[in-house]
Amino acid sequence: MDAQRRVLKDGAVLIKDGSIVQVGKSAEVKRQGRAEFEIDAKGKVVLPGLIDTHIHLAQALIRGCADDTSLIDWLQKFVWPLQGNFDSEDGKVSAELCMLEMIESGTTTFLESLLHSRYGFDGIAETIERSGMRGILSKTVMGLPGYGSEKSIMHLGMIEDAETCLREVETYFKRWNGRADDRIKVWYGARSLGGCTPELYAQIARNAKRLGTGVTMHLSEVEDDVRYTKKEFGKMPAEFMDQVGLVGPNVVFAHGVWLTENEWRLLASKGASVAHCPSSNMKLASGIAKVPEMMSAGVNVSIGCDGGPSNNSYDMIREMKTASLLQKARTMNPLSMNAETVLEMATLNGAKALGLHDQIGSIEPGKRADVIVVTMQKPHLIPTFNPVSHIAYAALGSDVDTTIIDGKIVMENRHVTTLDERSIIENASERATKLLERAEIKITPRWIMQ
Ligand SMILES: [Zn+2]
């Protein structure tokens, strides 16, 4: 993933003090002398760590708890009541589960988009510190209990007031931004349209500028977003966001399914990014984002897995395949989005979206050592003529066997060294059962479970 997009056969990567210092043919790199520690990657592919630019950490615990249902029911009957019953221990366990899954499938950096206070910000930030991951936590800011045209529909447990939200972001920013060797960042997580007044969006934009930090929010995910901003403000969603000052290089909009050509040009001219979430858009039947067209208009588009009830996995390797195939089917053009493009979206474009392109997104000297090793020694990956094709179309997250973040090995031979997999799986199953009881929600599969 360097500027020339070289694919090095029999290559080696030399890492020192958390940074990549040399990349080249093995023989060349070995001239530096023996390394203190070597990983044999024979028959494997070494890639930059994957960057997931739209996730909900607190939704890992409610994976599979809202399937095959319309969006408003999905939110009102399942997701919000469940999340509205979270306590900070649920938030921590869900984050642990999610980070475990990400590390095991090669994601090294993520952007969490909406952390409500009840999930326990500190516990989640501590989990990033412990897991060794690189993560941006966006604390929710909201002022209205609505969702698009639907007024006052939010679950009581999810409602927060604007002043407290704004104060909390600053508190958490001071406490956590730059912590854990700069692996943790704190952003503003503006609630979706209908969740903030125009004044509040403008306030978020001003505050983010003052702190020098980022903002993320869901935008034009569903067609109702367009109806809502047109009726309320006489503008398209991105035009409205621009009017309140929330379109800039420090902003990541999730989804962007219903954005139009003018809006693409607007986002491109202001340097804002879009996190494309193909599985979520398909599962919730939100529509299909016109990603190749958006990218041709100059928008930086990255990839996001979204959440446990909308995807229902946090596996970026699977998501790359979905992203590519979805465009081919929509455009009926197999050239519309190729393997190389989706790999760029999952690495370099992600780094750019997060303002971290000087540090991560490629394997180049001077960058932080966020590197994954993916085995090709599996029946479904043989023969291996083009590794980029295999990563995009044939590999699975479980083919990642080593994950290195900031120069530290956090998974080796599929064993995660920073988190205790067994206890996390046990805790998460237990807490999810209790959460469902508290929220009085029953998952009733259509087929009888005996
Ligand atoms: Zn989302």
Side-chain angles (χ1 to χ4, degrees):
M1 300 308 301
D2 63 7
Q4 293 88 41
R5 302 292 189 270
R6 290 179 303 161
V7 179
L8 292 174
K9 280 173 132 180
D10 189 16
V13 180
L14 185 63
I15 295 169
K16 196 181 174 195
D17 300 329
S19 285
I20 295 163
V21 292
Q22 199 185 354
V23 185
K25 293 280 188 188
S26 290
E28 218 176 281
V29 174
K30 275 186 177 159
R31 254 179 252 140
Q32 302 283 326
R34 276 199 82 80
E36 220 171 281
F37 185 80
E38 281 183 19
I39 298 170
D40 183 2
K42 193 173 191 313
K44 298 171 185 176
V45 173
V46 180
L47 284 172
L50 305 175
I51 300 171
D52 192 335
T53 52
H54 182 70
I55 64 158
H56 300 272
L57 290 168
Q59 289 185 353
L61 204 61
I62 58 171
R63 187 196 316 272
C65 290
D67 294 335
D68 310 323
T69 177
S70 74
L71 178 73
I72 294 300
D73 275 359
W74 184 88
L75 286 169
Q76 263 196 310
K77 290 190 183 161
F78 301 101
V79 174
W80 285 342
L82 284 166
Q83 296 198 298
N85 273 287
F86 258 59
D87 62 26
S88 56
E89 192 57 26
D90 294 324
K92 195 188 87 181
V93 172
S94 189
E96 286 174 336
L97 182 68
C98 193
M99 288 185 213
L100 195 56
E101 184 180 354
M102 287 192 279
I103 290 170
E104 289 189 7
S105 52
T107 294
T108 52
T109 299
F110 63 83
L111 170 60
E112 150 66 53
S113 72
L114 276 175
L115 276 187
H116 282 243
S117 301
R118 66 176 315 129
Y119 311 157
F121 195 98
D122 289 329
I124 292 171
E126 279 161 17
T127 306
I128 302 186
E129 189 164 30
R130 208 157 24 92
S131 71
M133 286 198 80
R134 200 181 292 286
I136 298 176
L137 297 178
S138 308
K139 164 70 188 75
T140 300
V141 180
M142 65 176 293
L144 302 168
Y147 181 80
S149 309
E150 310 267 351
K151 314 259 186 234
S152 305
I153 68 163
M154 274 198 95
H155 186 270
L156 280 176
M158 297 287 286
I159 298 172
E160 299 181 7
D161 78 275
E163 239 170 76
T164 312
C165 290
L166 290 170
R167 201 178 52 240
E168 283 185 347
V169 182
E170 302 225 6
T171 304
Y172 295 133
F173 182 87
K174 283 185 194 125
R175 194 176 297 160
W176 287 105
N177 194 66
R179 277 273 295 276
D181 299 324
D182 210 28
R183 285 187 286 107
I184 302 176
K185 298 261 189 287
V186 178
W187 281 22
Y188 286 83
R191 262 222 81 95
S192 319
L193 293 167
C196 295
T197 59
E199 295 73 34
L200 183 54
Y201 284 127
Q203 187 69 50
I204 293 170
R206 284 194 298 273
N207 289 12
K209 198 169 176 195
R210 175 166 50 79
L211 294 181
T213 194
V215 184
T216 190
M217 73 177 277
H218 298 66
L219 190 76
S220 280
E221 175 180 0
V222 290
E223 201 176 4
D224 182 60
D225 279 2
V226 178
R227 269 195 300 274
Y228 172 77
T229 53
K230 270 182 139 174
K231 182 167 169 275
E232 299 280 328
F233 314 109
K235 288 191 178 330
M236 293 297 283
E239 293 166 356
F240 166 66
M241 296 322 298
D242 187 43
Q243 191 191 349
V244 296
L246 259 181
V247 179
N250 63 330
V251 180
V252 176
F253 291 116
H255 302 290
V257 173
W258 293 90
L259 294 172
T260 54
E261 218 178 312
N262 284 340
E263 293 174 286
W264 302 334
R265 278 200 288 268
L266 170 65
L267 299 190
S269 71
K270 299 268 174 115
S273 295
V274 171
H276 173 47
C277 308
S279 292
S280 172
N281 298 156
M282 289 161 80
K283 186 161 183 274
L284 291 168
S286 309
I288 306 176
K290 296 188 172 73
V291 176
E293 294 91 326
M294 213 184 303
M295 288 170 84
S296 295
V299 182
N300 178 55
V301 185
S302 52
I303 296 180
C305 286
D306 211 350
S310 68
N311 183 312
N312 302 349
S313 95
Y314 296 83
D315 176 347
M316 282 288 285
I317 293 187
R318 263 204 258 190
E319 209 61 17
M320 280 191 264
K321 176 171 182 171
T322 309
S324 171
L325 266 49
L326 180 60
Q327 295 304 324
K328 294 174 197 290
R330 175 183 69 86
T331 58
M332 295 196 56
N333 174 8
L335 309 179
S336 57
M337 211 151 91
N338 59 33
E340 290 79 4
T341 304
V342 284
L343 186 55
E344 286 171 349
M345 290 168 75
T347 53
L348 283 170
N349 293 12
K352 192 175 174 203
L354 307 184
L356 297 173
H357 45 291
D358 292 340
Q359 296 172 45
I360 55 171
S362 61
I363 304 183
E364 289 178 279
K367 286 210 173 175
R368 300 306 293 165
D370 289 10
V371 174
I372 60 171
V373 182
V374 188
T375 183
M376 292 286 123
Q377 300 301 301
K378 298 254 185 96
H380 62 278
L381 299 168
I382 300 292
T384 316
F385 298 122
N386 178 1
V388 182
S389 156
H390 274 11
I391 295 296
Y393 299 136
L396 304 164
S398 51
D399 297 325
V400 176
D401 74 19
T402 300
T403 302
I404 300 169
I405 307 172
D406 219 33
K408 189 175 172 205
I409 300 170
V410 296
M411 180 173 77
E412 193 180 7
N413 298 322
R414 301 272 327 135
H415 172 73
V416 176
T417 55
T418 50
L419 297 169
D420 179 2
E421 171 158 343
R422 276 234 336 240
S423 74
I424 291 171
I425 287 177
E426 258 172 49
N427 271 345
S429 307
E430 229 171 79
R431 291 209 76 90
T433 307
K434 286 189 185 140
L435 174 68
L436 258 74
E437 281 169 14
R438 246 185 359 257
E440 294 175 20
I441 286 177
K442 265 206 166 83
I443 305 299
T444 43
R446 286 180 187 81
W447 290 355
I448 302 155
M449 282 179 76
Q450 295 179 324

